[in-house]
Amino acid sequence: MKRGKAVLITFLVTFFFGVFFLMPVADVLKQAFLDQNGQFSIAYLWIIFSNPIYLEGLWNAFALGVMSTIFTFFIALPLALVSYRWTFPGKKWLTVLVLAPLVLPPFVGAVGVRHMLGVEGALNALLIDLGFMSAAAPTDWLGAGKFWGIVLLNALHLYPILYMNILAALGNLDPAMEQAAQNLGASPWTRFKRITLPLCMPGIFAGAAIVFIWSFTELGVPLVFDYTRVAPVQIFEGIKDLSSNPIPYALVAVMLTISVLVYAVSKVILGRNKLGLSTKPKADIQERKLKGLKGWLISLSFAFVFILATVPHFGVFFLSVSSDWYGTIFPESLTLQHYGEGLGHPLVLGSIKNSLLYASGATFLDVILGVAIAWVIVRSKMWGRNVLDALMMLPLAVPGLVLAFGYLSMSENGGAFSFLIGANGSPALLLIVAYAVRRLPFVVRAAVSGLQQSNVELEEAAMSMGASPARAFWRVGLPLIGTSLIAGAILAFAFAMLEVSDSLILAQQAEHYPITKAIYALLSTLGNGHEIASALGVWAMIFLGVALAGAFALVGKRGGNLFRF
Amino acid sequence: MDAIQIDGVKKSYGKDVVALKEVNLHVGEGELFFLLGASGCGKTTLLRTIAGLEEPDEGKIFFGERDVTGVPTHKREAAMVFQSYALWPHMSVGENVAFGLQERGIQGDELVDRTLEALKGVRLEGYEDRRVDQLSGGQQQRVALARALVVRPKCLLLDEPLSNLDAQLRLEMRTEIRRIVKEFGLTAVYVTHDQEEALSVADKIAVMRDGHIAQVGTPEEVYRAPRSKHVAQFMGETNFLTGKVDWIVHDDHRGYCVRVISAAGEIFQGHVTEPGWKPEVEDSVVVSVRPEALRFDDSGDVINQVYGMVIERVYQGATIQYLVQSDEGVYIQVSELNPRHLREPNEHVALTARQQDVVMLKP
């Protein structure tokens, strides 16, 4: 009976997944490898690898990925270690604050950065004011340092993923492991090097792989920085003549291959060492209290990371309230008129409404699918449920761009997905499904970790008291995983609200634009487009900041399990 | 309050792991029945099969006249108390207890009254609004019991309910459980690995080993007349001596009794407990005598007497334990209650047991 249900759920989920994930990916690959006559061909790949511009684009994307991951690591590791081991003034708030940058869209932040680091930006104005720079020959920071600007922005955006991963790995360590080493005479450094770090490696690799894939395929930031020699942007630009040009597809295929490879390698490394990672540590780690100056120094460094990560967004905020910000340190005068104008702008209100609709639809779909899948993975004894688990994590390895492309070509010109396009070309269903597929891993992980942590006997007890299996799950199983499920859902929702690739590529009429596409469109309008875009960005950030803080307040320290893939 | 009948139940996991080989068992109405065995013997699997949490591969289970083999857990009316108690942390004590009643559609005053009554039954009046994690281990255990009892189940299933408690509390709770089971007239199946717990409160005990039932009987039967070396050893300390059958003393309504002579010439006489096994003259047998059945006595009686030397002694207050090496070289445990005077190491002694305390087993 239980097995029957598990098989049915698996069948339905796999079907959904096959249609809305594997098919679009396969479609992209097909476009990349079939020539006009439908014959298999590597001609397009050859074009890419023989064209220095595409090669440079790929190389730059790869370098961005690697450097962003390294930078991320150096921000995340110290923060995670410190917050695992010590308490310091304001820890409760600071540890939540440092997570906030994850949902602050770097794509929006980049707008702020441009205004601060541009030729006529705030930094140059400051340097000129202080006399370090001649007003006649200002430095073009972004012209010279676009690459590092993107790396920095990526790192400051993505470090929370790695931070949460490492923290979760540490949290799942049985403290007795370290205590045993201590008991045998190991110094703190030896303990860290020989016990803690090796045991955390799976967590570090898991996080690093996601950070790499994310920054490798990042579209929004390079786009706003006008950094055109990078593969994702080249792909995006290539859409304009999509029907005739198979090159973007071939590029997408190359990026997909690299991403999947990286993900697979991290999985192999991850799979090797499961020992010592008990899901429930026997004893709680003793957090030591750092008093006085040391404690405050730690607090300061947390605050510093947070402020550094949010500087671009403060820039956005200033931009949104400035009447004129050009060649000065701070805006000359402040005004709220852009918020007012924004509300009157046809794109703004519509896009907020659209994004809310798309994101909540996707979240709803994710929660239902996620709970069902998690139930099969954790509670049923179905053969092959581990395969299902691995399958559900695949969207993490596939760049958003790839999926977006698949959806695009399958929904155009009466393709298989054209039924998802509503009346007057509304992409609502298409975007809901696209968002849902890409964010599904987060919800599945949340539900799985919730179920794994709650004892199956609790549900069995309910059944032995006379509750049917469904009732037992509803009254006992679900409430117990409720918090982690809500946290996963909020996370999925937050990411869906700020999704870039699908949104930019799939929403084609202005009245159906989600927030990100509206911001992108506003950025390219003349006049006060930037300011209104910033006002919209600020609304989105406030909204998401609150949502995320809520999510992590709900799950507490174990929130990191949401990121253990 | 139904009898439970288990007919030829088999259960395996995968190809290699056989949890239950073929179990036949009858638990009488209102009986407090123990499943006793070492870990991994299949006792918990059997209990979960009775509860409907596992489905048997073969065989049938009856509650009274009703075949419940394919019936899902929630329709069996068999309430279970889990080893971990499995109290729901998101509900108060009262809500935990009321759960089963709510699932049976009981509302209003009756719901409240029966919940409070059940808590009173386990001496937890006034705890209904507490959170589960605010209770001590013993209190949690009693909430789990109340939660199972409140639905007036056809049978009560207990899976090592006391294993998480400290020794003192264990003693209190096991009499408490017996009181409750008898007061409600419940048919109860109780799983444990603690033979002392089983001996002290059970009506009947089934000793399990490797997925089958080794012996069923009253505590006295399984302790005093174990049918195999394994049961004899599992039920408490015992001494095994070996010898060959010399004479079949009697084979009638009083049972099968044999006389055995060891290699050193000691003569033992006792009952063969395994039904159907009738060792012939010259067959090898194992003689089992419990330490407390031996006493120091050199009255010159030749039957069931062993000579030896005290090697070691352990004073335990109420009893004293001696390790004696027989002249044949076998080590023998002897325990003496309320010892009058202590024997010293190297002292030569003679040990005697009554015939009814000597059991003859298959080697």
Side-chain angles (χ1 to χ4, degrees):
Chain A
M1 169 197 68
K2 201 172 175 180
R3 179 156 306 174
K5 264 184 213 158
V7 171
L8 181 69
I9 290 174
T10 309
F11 179 77
L12 290 176
V13 168
T14 315
F15 179 75
F16 173 86
F17 211 67
V19 170
F20 294 113
F21 177 73
L22 299 179
M23 259 170 62
V25 172
D27 190 71
V28 170
L29 292 176
K30 196 179 79 192
Q31 309 261 0
F33 289 106
L34 293 184
D35 62 15
Q36 283 97 333
N37 308 321
Q39 297 297 310
F40 177 80
S41 137
I42 55 162
Y44 305 134
L45 277 190
W46 181 247
I47 293 175
I48 287 175
F49 285 111
S50 55
N51 184 332
I53 295 179
Y54 289 132
L55 272 185
E56 194 193 337
L58 276 174
W59 171 250
N60 283 338
F62 188 77
L64 276 179
V66 172
M67 294 318 295
S68 304
T69 310
I70 294 174
F71 272 53
T72 305
F73 181 75
F74 282 113
I75 302 174
L77 184 69
L79 288 185
L81 284 176
V82 163
S83 97
Y84 170 66
R85 214 149 279 196
W86 289 301
T87 55
F88 42 84
K91 178 175 182 178
K92 204 175 158 194
W93 292 106
L94 286 168
T95 45
V96 173
L97 270 186
V98 293
L99 299 175
L102 185 59
V103 290
L104 299 177
F107 164 71
V108 176
V111 180
V113 170
R114 260 172 50 163
H115 277 261
M116 287 187 284
L117 298 185
V119 181
E120 303 289 342
L123 181 64
N124 280 359
L126 178 71
L127 293 175
I128 292 167
D129 266 15
L130 295 175
F132 288 121
M133 190 188 282
S134 138
T139 313
D140 183 3
W141 296 100
L142 289 174
K146 274 180 190 167
F147 180 87
W148 296 106
I150 297 169
V151 166
L152 198 63
L153 226 55
N154 277 343
L156 288 174
H157 172 222
L158 297 176
Y159 76 86
I161 293 183
L162 200 53
Y163 168 81
M164 298 292 287
N165 254 299
I166 300 174
L167 207 59
L170 289 169
N172 287 343
L173 273 186
D174 190 342
M177 305 248 171
E178 277 207 16
Q179 285 156 9
Q182 190 174 15
N183 181 256
L184 293 170
S187 68
W189 170 241
T190 317
R191 258 183 284 150
F192 172 72
K193 203 176 58 181
R194 295 198 48 197
I195 310 289
T196 316
L197 197 59
L199 286 172
C200 288
M201 271 334 241
I204 293 175
F205 271 105
I210 293 167
V211 170
F212 173 81
I213 292 169
W214 199 313
S215 43
F216 176 55
T217 59
E218 172 68 40
L219 170 64
V221 183
L223 205 56
V224 175
F225 269 101
D226 278 331
Y227 189 59
T228 49
R229 286 287 171 88
V230 62
V233 176
Q234 289 171 332
I235 293 169
F236 182 68
E237 299 292 342
I239 312 177
K240 285 164 190 160
D241 46 13
L242 178 70
S243 46
S244 60
N245 188 359
I247 296 301
Y249 285 107
L251 265 178
V252 163
V254 174
M255 299 201 79
L256 174 64
T257 312
I258 297 175
S259 300
V260 169
L261 270 179
V262 168
Y263 184 71
V265 167
S266 83
K267 269 283 172 191
V268 168
I269 294 172
L270 199 66
R272 226 188 278 153
N273 181 0
K274 283 268 153 93
L275 210 75
L277 295 171
S278 61
T279 41
K280 271 194 179 160
K282 305 276 181 295
D284 245 1
I285 178 80
Q286 294 285 314
E287 287 177 0
R288 289 227 316 273
K289 201 166 193 162
L290 275 187
K291 279 187 189 145
L293 196 59
K294 269 188 189 166
W296 283 106
L297 272 178
I298 299 287
S299 308
L300 263 180
S301 50
F302 267 76
F304 176 71
V305 170
F306 171 69
I307 289 167
L308 196 63
T310 45
V311 159
H313 303 91
F314 281 117
V316 174
F317 174 71
F318 280 133
L319 191 57
S320 73
V321 294
S322 66
S323 53
D324 184 28
W325 191 18
Y326 196 74
T328 50
I329 305 169
F330 288 107
E332 307 232 291
S333 60
L334 300 181
T335 170
L336 286 175
Q337 83 183 76
H338 302 306
Y339 289 88
E341 282 169 11
L343 292 181
H345 197 288
L347 271 182
V348 171
L349 270 186
S351 72
I352 293 179
K353 214 181 74 203
N354 287 340
S355 272
L356 280 175
L357 172 72
Y358 304 157
S360 36
T363 309
F364 181 72
L365 197 57
D366 273 347
V367 166
I368 291 177
L369 287 172
V371 169
I373 294 166
W375 182 82
V376 172
I377 293 171
V378 182
R379 288 289 188 258
S380 82
K381 286 172 183 137
M382 194 190 73
W383 183 86
R385 57 191 191 281
N386 293 330
V387 179
L388 183 69
D389 195 4
L391 191 67
M392 289 305 140
M393 294 302 115
L394 271 185
L396 291 173
V398 175
L401 261 181
V402 178
L403 266 185
F405 252 67
Y407 279 102
L408 182 64
S409 83
M410 289 184 74
S411 60
E412 269 184 345
N413 310 324
F417 287 176
S418 42
F419 74 95
L420 287 173
I421 305 283
N424 57 44
S426 159
L429 277 178
L430 192 64
L431 278 174
I432 286 175
V433 170
Y435 288 170
V437 166
R438 286 198 49 210
R439 303 312 173 202
L440 190 55
F442 293 96
V443 184
V444 170
R445 272 288 61 92
V448 163
S449 83
L451 270 184
Q452 277 170 343
Q453 278 163 31
S454 85
N455 191 339
V456 62
E457 282 191 351
L458 293 172
E459 282 162 65
E460 289 177 352
M463 285 188 257
S464 99
M465 300 306 135
S468 67
R471 288 277 298 166
F473 190 67
W474 179 249
R475 286 199 63 188
V476 176
L478 210 52
L480 289 177
I481 64 166
T483 45
S484 58
L485 194 62
I486 290 171
I490 290 178
L491 210 58
F493 182 77
F495 283 135
M497 285 288 282
L498 293 171
E499 208 283 340
V500 176
S501 345
D502 291 324
S503 313
L504 292 199
I505 292 174
L506 296 177
Q508 287 164 350
Q509 290 109 329
E511 72 260 36
H512 302 307
Y513 280 2
I515 290 175
T516 37
K517 179 113 188 196
I519 290 176
Y520 182 68
L522 284 169
L523 286 179
S524 51
T525 51
L526 294 173
N528 55 5
H530 275 217
E531 283 80 4
I532 296 179
S534 305
L536 182 50
V538 169
W539 278 122
M541 289 190 295
I542 291 174
F543 191 69
L544 289 172
V546 171
L548 198 76
F552 287 108
L554 269 177
V555 289
K557 198 173 180 178
R558 297 195 152 260
N561 283 332
L562 298 180
F563 290 96
R564 292 186 61 79
F565 298 106
Chain B
M1 339 287 137
D2 281 338
I4 301 171
Q5 179 71 38
I6 295 164
D7 281 344
V9 164
K10 288 183 187 172
K11 174 82 189 172
S12 35
Y13 297 104
K15 269 184 190 154
D16 309 321
V17 188
V18 182
L20 299 174
K21 273 175 188 152
E22 181 173 343
V23 174
N24 295 295
L25 212 55
H26 178 83
V27 179
E29 229 177 284
E31 224 167 51
L32 177 49
F33 193 96
F34 270 62
L35 295 176
L36 178 67
S39 66
C41 71
K43 56 191 191 297
T44 296
T45 306
L46 183 57
L47 190 77
R48 289 172 60 87
T49 312
I50 297 172
L53 294 168
E54 306 280 348
E55 251 179 79
D57 300 334
E58 276 178 53
K60 287 197 179 303
I61 297 171
F62 296 90
F63 287 0
E65 295 295 304
R66 179 169 165 237
D67 180 357
V68 296
T69 314
V71 177
T73 307
H74 60 285
K75 291 181 183 154
R76 284 202 187 189
E77 306 280 315
M80 181 147 165
V81 175
F82 289 77
Q83 185 173 9
S84 64
Y85 313 141
L87 298 179
W88 302 304
H90 61 303
M91 299 183 194
S92 69
V93 168
E95 286 167 335
N96 262 281
V97 175
F99 182 93
L101 296 173
Q102 289 167 336
E103 288 302 319
R104 284 162 179 72
I106 291 163
Q107 293 166 335
D109 287 345
E110 195 189 350
L111 181 70
V112 177
D113 291 346
R114 280 180 64 179
T115 303
L116 295 181
E117 186 193 45
L119 282 172
K120 203 172 161 193
V122 294
R123 298 173 187 164
L124 279 176
E125 304 102 313
Y127 281 73
E128 57 274 9
D129 293 325
R130 293 276 189 104
R131 282 210 326 268
V132 168
D133 57 10
Q134 291 172 320
L135 302 181
S136 71
Q139 289 167 334
Q140 289 184 4
Q141 206 279 332
R142 280 181 281 164
V143 175
L145 206 55
R147 189 177 70 177
L149 291 172
V150 75
V151 298
R152 293 171 192 156
K154 290 224 187 320
C155 60
L156 179 66
L157 308 174
L158 303 123
D159 185 7
E160 309 220 13
L162 306 181
S163 64
N164 291 330
L165 303 180
D166 61 55
Q168 183 61 37
L169 206 52
R170 241 184 350 242
L171 287 180
E172 278 172 35
M173 286 308 298
R174 71 190 190 197
T175 26
E176 185 75 3
I177 288 177
R178 185 172 169 89
R179 173 186 73 80
I180 289 168
V181 167
K182 290 297 157 192
E183 204 175 291
F184 286 74
L186 291 168
T187 306
V189 182
Y190 187 130
V191 160
T192 183
H193 62 263
D194 182 344
Q195 41 86 19
E196 209 186 296
E197 201 169 292
L199 288 172
S200 58
V201 288
D203 290 326
K204 262 192 182 166
I205 297 173
V207 183
M208 289 188 69
R209 187 192 191 188
D210 293 341
H212 70 263
I213 307 277
Q215 186 173 353
V216 183
T218 63
E220 198 192 345
E221 279 164 4
V222 287
Y223 187 80
R224 301 197 52 177
R227 288 179 184 171
S228 66
K229 278 173 76 178
H230 165 257
V231 174
Q233 217 162 16
F234 194 80
M235 294 312 301
E237 250 184 298
T238 192
N239 298 298
F240 289 138
L241 304 150
T242 50
K244 285 202 160 85
V245 176
D246 174 58
W247 177 44
I248 291 154
V249 183
H250 57 81
D251 176 12
D252 50 26
H253 65 277
R254 288 171 293 167
Y256 195 76
C257 181
V258 293
R259 180 170 291 179
V260 166
I261 298 183
S262 74
E266 299 140 345
I267 304 165
F268 299 101
Q269 188 168 315
H271 279 88
V272 173
T273 47
E274 189 176 331
W277 183 56
K278 294 186 171 181
E280 300 295 323
V281 173
E282 284 301 301
D283 281 356
S284 291
V285 293
V286 169
V287 182
S288 166
V289 193
R290 298 214 180 268
E292 71 275 9
L294 289 162
R295 60 182 199 284
F296 296 101
D297 177 11
D298 50 0
S299 53
D301 199 349
V302 284
I303 290 174
N304 292 333
Q305 190 153 63
V306 179
Y307 291 94
M309 192 169 72
V310 175
I311 301 290
E312 198 180 82
R313 67 162 194 234
V314 181
Y315 184 74
Q316 292 178 327
T319 59
I320 184 162
Q321 302 270 0
Y322 292 101
L323 183 66
V324 174
Q325 187 175 26
S326 75
D327 293 346
E328 193 190 347
V330 181
Y331 289 100
I332 298 171
Q333 297 275 3
V334 184
S335 99
E336 197 181 14
L337 186 65
N338 191 19
R340 253 216 244 132
H341 66 275
L342 305 182
R343 287 160 208 278
E344 299 299 327
N346 295 327
E347 190 177 332
H348 281 273
V349 292
L351 300 167
T352 312
R354 292 178 302 170
Q355 183 181 319
Q356 53 267 52
D357 290 334
V358 175
V359 175
M360 301 297 176
L361 300 167
K362 238 186 207 167

